[in-house]
C-alpha cells in the first residue's frame, strides 16, 4: 500500500506554532514557565494510507495509546508485483502519547464496528461475520515484534488470526449485504463476537473456538434488542451478558445478568429489572445501568453490592480501573463519578461545557462550547479531578473544534477532521515574571 509520506516533513501552521511555543517556553524557563494543562504538545495527521478514497474511522483508547481503524476503498500500486490493485478493507494504526502514528496493518475486509483491545491485540468485527485479530506491536515499516505461527496470511504478518463466526450472526452463510456482527468485546484471554441472535467466544491468542450461544438474545423465534454491544462485558475468562426478557430463564419475566465461564457454562445468573440496558465490569464488580433511573453493582457471584438511585447514562459509561475503580459519565452540563468500591457517588460537578467526555486515572475531561456569559462561545476544555474540583481549563486553538476526545499516557487528545491534537493533561503554571 502506498503512503502519504512523512506528515512531519511539511509542518502545518499549527504544528509550527506548537513547536515555536514549546521552544519559547524552553528559553523562558527561568522566567517561571511550566507547561500547563491544556497546552498544545503536538499535532499529527491520522491518515495512514494512500488510497483514492477513505471511509469512516473507529477508535478505541487504552491507558497508553489510541487505536484507529479506518475503512478504505480505492486503488493502490503494488510495487512488488508492479501492478495496480483494488482495495476495500480497513487499515489499523496506533497513535502514541508523543504524537507518533504507527501503521500496524490491514484487515481482509472492512470493519463493521469499533475494535476491542486485549493486551497487544486489537480484535475487529469485519464484514460477512468474521473477527480479525491484529497484533498492535507490529509496524508496517518492518519494526516491531514478529508474530508467531498463528499468523494466517503471509502478506500481512500483523494478522494473528481470522475466524468466521457467522453462526451467531443470524446469517449462517455470512453472505448478506448487512453487517452480520454487532460488535466485539475482549480481554487478554477471550474475544467475544456479538451477533443479532447470540455470541461466540474464541481464544484471544489463537482464535480457537471456546463456546457459542446462538440464541442468547431471543427465545429462538425473534430478534433481540437493536443495540447489543453494551450488553456484553469480558473480564478475564468470564463473559458477562445482560440478557433481555425474551431470553431470560430466571422465571421472573424480567431481564437477567448471566456469567459464562470459558467453556460456556453458567457460573452465575441473577434477575434484574427489564429496563437495564448496559453492563460493565470495574475492578471485579459487575455494574448494570437502567438509563435515567438507577445503577447497581454485583460481585462475581452476583451478590448485590450496591444500588444507586441516580440518573444512569443511556450509553455504557467510561470506566477507570487504575487504583480508584471509578465510573464517570456526563448528562448535559454535569459530570458524575461513581466510586464502585464504596458503592456511592463520589461527586457530581455541574456548569461544565456540554460535549465530549474522556477519563483517566486523574479524573475526567470535558470539551464543548461554553455558553456562560463571561466565557464567550469558544470551544473549551475543562479537567475535573477525582474529588470533583476543576484542575484546569483552557480554550482550544483557533479553528480546532473537536469531534472526539480521549485521554491516555498523560495527554488529552482531541480529534478534528483528519488531525489529532495532543494537549498536556497535567496541570502546571503558565506565564509568570517570577521564576
Amino acid at each position: 500500500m502506498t503512503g502519504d509520506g512523512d506528515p512531519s516533513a511539511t509542518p502545518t501552521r499549527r504544528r509550527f506554532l506548537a513547536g515555536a511555543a514549546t521552544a519559547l517556553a524552553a528559553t523562558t524557563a527561568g522566567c517561571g514557565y511550566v507547561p500547563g494543562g491544556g497546552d498544545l504538545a503536538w499535532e499529527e495527521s491520522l491518515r495512514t494510507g494512500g488510497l483514492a478514497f477513505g471511509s469512516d474511522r473507529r477508535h478505541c483508547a487504552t491507558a497508553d495509546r489510541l487505536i484507529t481503524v479506518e475503512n478504505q476503498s480505492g486503488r493502490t500500486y503494488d510495487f512488488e508485483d508492479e501492478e495496480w490493485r483494488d482495495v476495500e478493507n480497513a487499515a489499523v494504526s496506533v497513535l502514541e502519547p508523543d504524537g507518533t502514528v504507527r501503521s500496524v496493518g490491514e484487515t481482509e475486509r472492512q470493519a463493521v464496528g469499533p475494535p476491542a483491545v486485549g493486551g497487544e491485540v486489537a480484535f475487529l468485527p469485519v464484514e460477512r461475520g468474521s473477527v480479525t485479530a491484529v497484533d498492535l506491536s507490529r509496524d508496517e515499516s518492518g519494526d516491531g515484534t514478529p508474530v508467531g505461527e498463528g499468523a494466517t496470511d503471509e502478506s500481512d504478518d500483523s494478522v494473528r488470526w481470522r475466524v468466521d463466526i457467522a453462526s451467531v450472526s443470524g446469517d449462517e452463510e455470512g453472505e448478506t449485504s448487512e453487517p452480520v456482527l454487532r460488535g466485539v468485546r475482549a480481554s487478554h484471554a477471550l474475544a467475544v463476537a456479538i451477533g443479532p441472535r447470540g455470541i461466540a467466544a474464541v481464544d484471544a491468542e489463537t482464535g480457537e473456538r471456546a463456546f457459542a450461544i446462538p440464541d442468547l438474545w431471543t427465545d429462538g423465534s425473534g430478534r433481540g434488542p437493536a443495540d447489543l454491544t453494551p450488553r456484553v462485558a469480558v473480564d478475564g475468562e468470564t463473559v458477562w451478558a445482560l440478557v433481555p426478557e425474551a431470553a431470560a430463564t430466571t422465571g421472573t419475566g424480567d431481564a437477567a445478568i448471566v456469567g459464562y465461564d470459558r467453556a460456556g457454562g453458567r457460573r452465575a445468573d441473577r434477575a434484574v429489572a427489564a429496563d437495564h440496558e448496559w453492563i460493565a465490569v470495574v475492578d471485579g464488580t459487575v455494574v448494570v445501568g437502567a438509563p435515567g433511573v438507577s445503577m447497581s453493582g454485583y460481585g462475581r457471584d452476583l451478590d448485590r453490592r450496591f444500588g444507586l438511585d441516580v440518573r444512569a447514562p443511556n450509553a455504557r459509561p467510561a470506566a477507570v480501573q487504575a487504583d480508584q475503580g471509578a465510573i464517570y459519565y456526563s448528562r448535559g452540563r454535569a459530570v458524575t463519578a461513581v466510586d464502585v468500591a464504596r458503592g456511592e457517588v463520589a461527586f457530581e460537578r455541574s456548569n461544565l461545557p456540554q460535549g465530549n467526555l474522556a477519563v483517566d486515572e486523574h479524573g475526567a475531561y470535558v470539551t464543548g462550547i461554553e455558553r456562560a456569559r463571561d466565557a464567550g462561545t469558544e470551544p473549551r476544555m475543562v479537567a475535573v479531578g477525582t474529588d470533583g474540583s476543576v484542575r484546569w481549563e483552557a480554550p482550544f486553538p483557533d479553528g480546532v473544534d473537536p469531534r472526539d476526545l480521549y485521554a491516555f499516557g498523560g495527554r488529552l487528545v482531541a480529534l478534528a477532521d483528519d488531525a489529532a491534537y495532543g494537549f498536556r493533561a497535567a496541570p502546571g503554571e503558565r506565564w509568570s515574571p517570577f521564576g
Side-chain angles (χ1 to χ4, degrees):
M1 184 179 73
T2 58
D4 288 335
D6 183 359
S8 63
T10 306
T12 63
R13 176 176 176 272
R14 291 194 186 92
R15 176 184 289 277
F16 173 79
L17 292 177
T22 301
L24 182 60
T27 62
T28 57
C31 296
Y33 182 86
V34 177
D39 283 0
L40 181 63
W42 47 259
E43 175 191 348
E44 187 59 75
S45 171
L46 286 178
R47 294 203 62 85
T48 58
L51 297 182
F53 303 97
S55 185
D56 55 309
R57 292 192 186 100
R58 296 177 172 90
H59 308 280
C60 178
T62 67
D64 58 359
R65 58 194 166 188
L66 179 71
I67 292 86
T68 297
V69 177
E70 181 177 8
N71 282 341
Q72 53 186 11
S73 178
R75 303 192 73 198
T76 186
Y77 189 75
D78 190 324
F79 288 93
E80 184 174 339
D81 294 336
E82 297 183 342
E83 63 181 9
W84 286 91
R85 61 185 179 93
D86 294 323
V87 173
E88 187 168 352
N89 60 8
V92 183
S93 61
V94 173
L95 175 63
E96 305 287 357
D98 64 358
T100 301
V101 175
R102 289 190 296 108
S103 181
V104 175
E106 299 180 358
T107 64
E108 76 285 10
R109 301 168 187 158
Q110 291 197 337
V112 297
V117 178
E120 288 293 324
V121 183
F123 305 93
L124 281 66
V126 299
E127 293 174 324
R128 299 200 293 276
S130 294
V131 174
T132 299
V134 177
D135 193 327
L136 297 175
S137 66
R138 295 291 301 186
D139 191 315
E140 281 193 339
S141 66
D143 299 325
T145 305
V147 180
E149 297 179 357
T152 60
D153 190 337
E154 294 180 357
S155 64
D156 190 350
D157 288 339
S158 67
V159 175
R160 287 196 174 185
W161 48 258
R162 299 185 180 107
V163 176
D164 179 11
I165 317 185
S167 59
V168 301
S169 68
D171 174 58
E172 293 292 334
E173 299 299 325
E175 296 293 341
T176 131
S177 59
E178 297 297 326
V180 292
L181 289 182
R182 295 293 188 261
V184 61
R185 297 290 190 199
S187 69
H188 67 282
L190 293 174
V192 179
I194 306 166
R197 293 184 182 175
I199 62 174
V202 299
D203 184 277
E205 181 67 25
T206 66
E208 294 180 0
R209 182 71 61 95
F211 69 87
I213 306 176
D215 289 314
L216 179 64
W217 308 121
T218 74
D219 58 4
S221 61
R223 298 267 179 179
D227 194 6
L228 295 168
T229 307
R231 293 175 175 266
V232 178
V234 185
D235 180 30
E237 296 194 349
T238 302
V239 179
W240 299 98
L242 181 59
V243 181
E245 180 179 350
T249 60
T250 57
T252 65
D254 291 331
I257 305 171
V258 184
Y260 298 93
D261 61 27
R262 189 183 185 90
R266 288 197 177 205
R267 56 167 294 175
D269 58 71
R270 183 185 180 110
V272 294
D275 55 358
H276 289 82
E277 294 185 6
W278 55 260
I279 187 169
V281 181
V282 182
D283 285 355
T285 298
V286 181
V287 183
V288 294
V293 179
S294 65
M295 185 184 303
S296 301
Y298 303 89
R300 293 180 184 274
D301 57 357
L302 295 184
D303 59 310
R304 187 179 178 88
R305 291 186 175 178
F306 67 84
L308 298 175
D309 293 327
V310 296
R311 296 183 62 200
N314 295 331
R316 189 164 85 159
V320 173
Q321 296 178 288
D323 298 331
Q324 72 263 38
I327 281 180
Y328 294 86
Y329 63 93
S330 62
R331 295 185 69 95
R333 296 180 61 193
V335 170
T336 302
V338 174
D339 187 320
V340 173
R342 295 178 178 271
E344 62 185 25
V345 175
F347 70 81
E348 182 172 276
R349 180 87 189 194
S350 57
N351 296 322
L352 295 169
Q354 182 174 348
N356 299 303
L357 171 70
V359 300
D360 63 12
E361 67 272 23
H362 300 296
Y365 307 85
V366 292
T367 64
I369 301 294
E370 176 56 72
R371 301 189 183 280
R373 183 174 301 175
D374 59 347
T377 57
E378 61 184 358
R380 296 183 65 79
M381 45 187 146
V382 178
V384 180
T386 56
D387 60 354
S389 63
V390 172
R391 300 169 64 216
W392 55 261
E393 56 182 309
F396 277 95
D398 291 342
V400 178
D401 190 2
R403 181 186 70 252
D404 297 300
L405 189 71
Y406 301 93
F408 57 92
R411 291 288 182 262
L412 181 64
V413 177
L415 307 185
D417 298 324
D418 286 340
Y421 301 84
F423 301 93
R424 299 181 187 277
E429 299 296 331
R430 292 190 171 83
W431 294 111
S432 170
F434 309 103

